[in-house]
Amino acid sequence: MADSSREALQSDELQLDLYSIIRALLKDWWMILTAGIVGVFCAYIVAGTAYVPAYTTSMTFIVSSKGSTSSASNLTATTEMADTFSLVLNSRLLKKKVQQELGLSYLPGTIETNVVTGTNLMTLKVSAASPEHSFKIMKSVLENYSEITDYVLSNVVLDVLEAPTVPKAPSNPISAREMMKKYAMIAMAAMAALLAVISYLKDDVKNEKEVERKLDTALFATVYHEVKNKTLKSKLRRAKKGLLVSDPTCSFLFVETYKKIRTKLMYKAGDQKGQVILVTSVLENEGKSTVAANIALTLAQKSDRVAFIDGDLRRPAAYKILQRELEADQEIGAFLNEKSDFDQVMQWDEENHLYLLTGSRKYSNSTELVSGERMQELIEAVRAEADYVVIDSPPTSLMADAEVLAEYADVSLLVVHQGMARTREINDTIDILENGGSELLGCIYNDVKTGVFKGKKSWGDYNYGGYRKYKRGYSYGGYGYGRSEKSDKKKERTAITEEKPQEEMEIMEMDLQDQVTGSDGIEE
């Protein structure tokens, strides 16, 4: 059974995710375009330097045998004589005579003969790099070939049907425009193929199936891609506004996703008050600040006392997402530097019914600030005032702030953006969070696109880690990065999740009833 499960996993691993490859190509379109421009320059260089024009002049002979009036014998003579005549024309002796006559050290051209099929006509062609050389070589060949051919072709008569002329244009012309197009297409195709291979081989999380297969934690929820600004007017006016569930233009699916996340968090918290929830990610721009803000907003719709702390002191983003303007004494950094009091820092957002502890200033010594006593005092003070505390943490790959903040939190969530961080980096972060003071509930698979441009459209078949029962009987041992030990932890988390399914379903039913009645105050 274990062997068959392992083979099924390996088979899934080899499947090609075409949508992810297409998205990667569209993301790096500028590299493909750059390759096309490079191809155009290469074509220009080749056309200007490597291209050698060839000028060809030709003449046609009528071949006949002496004393013969039969066309059949003439055809036979033509066929037999073509190869011999070609050897004569390309012989060293004739070429030497032509070179001496023209005063050249080498023959700057080529000579070829061809018999017109079914006739006693034979063409002689001379090609050279200049029209003068082409014509002069042809003329010299006509004047000197008889001295050699009389010994081997004495019974053949050659009558000129079409005299040679000086060529006016190259016989191998090229179109610079067509050549540039060709080189550009080849270069762009090569770059696209290279990017496709890199995307396929990149060990990241490309779809929901790979979350369970590659990561050493459960899938807590999936947030599908949501268009931030749906009209040109909104794109111009609200480019800096965050993607929040409080925005009435957000889709029903997007809002419901965060309500489901809220329900699961409330179930995990149980009757415990002052629950501190840490939200972090591996890399920048994975959407953790937006996820953290939306979790806080949806919790505030159910609880009167919810606080949102921006713990990213080096690159704060919460004030931008929530469109807040702060005074100097309202900065969270001012409290940590003992320049303001707790009452000044903890601001009430009347619109969202949320306590905010944010900042807009950047601090290079952020690790020292979050690990100091003032941060611990801040967390304890907020814990005493609020039912839920959501902390937006910095990425784990940039600094150690997330590890310090994880010691203050009760539970943590890891935001994993589709196709960004590598699997090894994500699993390393999972190890850090699991070894910290908080319980890792799982990952939120963020900004997921099921097609090329868009996320999931339908509401049915919605998949949440832990809510849909985990598959049993899978053997994870020997797969990935030491998965045999980590899979045990994963099974323990799954078992805890399944301990009270009836209680969780009751909470889900209550939440669904509120959604139908619109008690959350959001236009759906």
Side-chain angles (χ1 to χ4, degrees):
M1 180 65 179
D3 293 339
S4 61
S5 299
R6 189 178 296 110
E7 291 176 0
L9 289 172
Q10 293 174 351
S11 177
D12 288 341
E13 184 180 9
L14 296 176
Q15 288 183 357
L16 185 65
D17 192 335
L18 294 177
Y19 284 130
S20 66
I21 293 177
I22 295 174
R23 288 193 297 267
L25 296 180
L26 293 176
K27 180 181 178 181
D28 296 326
W29 62 269
W30 61 273
M31 296 182 65
I32 299 176
L33 180 61
T34 302
I37 296 174
V38 172
V40 171
F41 278 106
C42 291
Y44 179 79
I45 294 172
V46 170
T49 58
Y51 169 65
V52 178
Y55 293 88
T56 302
T57 183
S58 63
M59 66 178 301
T60 303
F61 296 98
I62 299 177
V63 182
S64 59
S65 299
K66 293 180 179 179
S68 174
T69 59
S70 173
S71 59
S73 62
N74 290 337
L75 289 175
T76 303
T78 303
T79 303
E80 293 177 351
M81 168 259 201
D83 293 335
T84 305
F85 190 60
S86 177
L87 292 174
V88 170
L89 294 177
N90 285 282
S91 65
R92 294 177 59 186
L93 183 60
L94 180 59
K95 289 181 180 180
K96 188 174 182 180
K97 284 182 171 292
V98 174
Q99 292 173 17
Q100 291 175 352
E101 183 174 305
L102 299 179
L104 301 173
S105 59
Y106 68 98
L107 188 66
T110 59
I111 302 171
E112 65 174 300
T113 59
N114 181 41
V115 177
V116 180
T117 305
T119 68
N120 62 336
L121 301 178
M122 185 178 69
T123 59
L124 174 65
K125 294 182 180 180
V126 176
S127 298
S130 67
E132 293 81 5
H133 281 157
S134 177
F135 184 75
K136 288 180 179 180
I137 292 173
M138 173 66 81
K139 185 177 179 182
S140 178
V141 168
L142 294 177
E143 293 175 354
N144 293 282
Y145 82 91
S146 59
E147 297 181 14
I148 300 174
T149 56
D150 286 345
Y151 295 100
V152 294
L153 300 170
S154 57
N155 63 329
V156 175
V157 178
L158 299 177
D159 296 320
V160 177
L161 178 64
E162 183 180 353
T165 58
V166 179
K168 297 181 180 179
S171 57
N172 61 337
I174 64 169
S175 172
R177 178 177 295 181
E178 293 299 324
M179 189 175 184
M180 290 180 180
K181 288 182 180 180
K182 179 180 178 181
Y183 274 60
M185 294 300 295
I186 293 175
M188 291 172 69
M191 178 58 70
L194 177 62
L195 293 175
V197 172
I198 292 175
S199 174
Y200 175 71
L201 297 178
K202 183 181 178 182
D203 187 23
D204 55 2
V205 183
K206 297 179 175 63
N207 50 59
E208 289 180 85
K209 292 182 180 179
E210 292 189 348
V211 174
E212 290 288 346
R213 183 164 55 84
K214 290 186 174 182
L215 302 187
D216 300 323
T217 189
L219 175 62
F220 192 82
T222 300
V223 180
Y224 292 97
H225 175 73
E226 177 80 4
V227 179
K228 185 175 182 180
N229 297 308
K230 297 179 172 61
T231 63
L232 178 61
K233 183 178 180 180
S234 62
K235 289 180 180 179
L236 296 175
R237 293 187 177 183
R238 303 164 61 186
K240 295 183 179 180
K241 187 174 181 180
L243 188 61
L244 302 176
V245 293
S246 56
D247 188 345
T249 62
C250 287
S251 68
F252 174 79
L253 182 60
F254 182 78
V255 175
E256 290 303 308
T257 297
Y258 280 100
K259 288 183 179 181
K260 295 293 184 181
I261 294 174
R262 173 191 64 192
T263 301
K264 292 189 68 176
L265 286 173
M266 293 177 67
Y267 167 72
K268 291 290 184 180
D271 296 331
Q272 181 180 353
K273 298 299 181 182
Q275 180 84 352
V276 179
I277 305 165
L278 178 76
V279 180
T280 188
S281 63
V282 177
L283 305 176
E284 290 184 282
N285 301 320
E286 292 200 68
K288 63 169 183 60
S289 296
T290 299
V291 171
N294 281 316
I295 290 176
L297 290 173
T298 51
L299 284 172
Q301 295 166 2
K302 280 288 187 180
S303 176
D304 293 333
R305 298 190 302 171
V306 177
F308 180 45
I309 300 177
D310 188 355
D312 192 347
L313 301 179
R314 190 160 300 194
R315 296 194 65 179
Y319 79 99
K320 295 180 181 178
I321 296 174
L322 298 172
Q323 294 185 313
R324 299 286 296 182
E325 294 183 2
L326 302 173
E327 301 293 338
D329 58 354
Q330 296 174 341
E331 297 272 344
I332 188 173
F335 175 83
L336 298 179
N337 286 313
E338 301 183 2
K339 295 182 179 179
S340 63
D341 299 328
F342 176 75
D343 293 337
Q344 294 174 291
V345 174
M346 192 167 182
Q347 300 292 314
W348 173 252
D349 185 351
E350 182 65 31
E351 180 182 356
N352 297 310
H353 301 282
L354 190 67
Y355 288 103
L356 299 177
L357 295 94
T358 60
S360 59
R361 297 187 181 183
K362 302 177 182 179
Y363 296 89
S364 58
N365 62 334
S366 60
T367 305
E368 290 76 9
L369 291 176
V370 298
S371 60
E373 294 182 0
R374 293 284 286 182
M375 175 57 83
Q376 187 172 359
E377 293 175 6
L378 179 69
I379 298 296
E380 293 302 324
V382 178
R383 184 192 291 269
E385 294 291 334
D387 296 329
Y388 298 98
V389 182
V390 181
I391 302 178
D392 176 20
S393 165
T396 59
S397 63
L398 300 181
M399 58 201 76
D401 297 21
E403 299 179 46
V404 177
L405 292 172
E407 297 294 331
Y408 303 139
D410 299 315
V411 295
S412 58
L413 289 169
L414 178 62
V415 177
V416 178
H417 191 285
Q418 184 182 32
M420 284 190 65
R422 297 184 181 274
T423 302
R424 184 181 294 274
E425 297 172 339
I426 300 173
N427 284 328
D428 289 343
T429 298
I430 290 172
D431 291 340
I432 292 173
L433 295 176
E434 287 182 340
N435 295 328
S438 61
E439 176 192 358
L440 178 61
L441 299 181
C443 76
I444 295 181
Y445 196 35
N446 191 37
D447 198 23
V448 178
K449 296 178 181 178
T450 55
V452 177
F453 300 105
K454 297 182 179 180
K456 199 168 187 178
K457 293 183 180 181
S458 63
W459 171 247
D461 194 30
Y462 216 69
N463 181 18
Y464 282 88
Y467 191 65
R468 174 180 290 181
K469 303 306 178 186
Y470 292 96
K471 295 181 180 179
R472 301 178 182 178
Y474 268 17
S475 174
Y476 291 89
Y479 183 81
Y481 312 104
R483 297 184 64 91
S484 56
E485 297 179 1
K486 297 175 182 178
S487 61
D488 295 337
K489 297 180 181 180
K490 194 170 184 179
K491 291 178 181 178
E492 291 176 4
R493 287 194 298 271
T494 304
I496 293 174
T497 304
E498 295 179 348
E499 282 181 359
K500 299 180 181 181
Q502 183 61 34
E503 186 175 342
E504 182 177 1
M505 287 300 297
E506 291 176 358
I507 296 177
M508 295 291 289
E509 291 174 0
M510 293 172 60
D511 192 44
L512 180 60
Q513 183 178 1
D514 290 341
Q515 294 165 21
V516 173
T517 57
S519 61
D520 288 338
I522 293 182
E523 182 180 346
E524 298 176 353

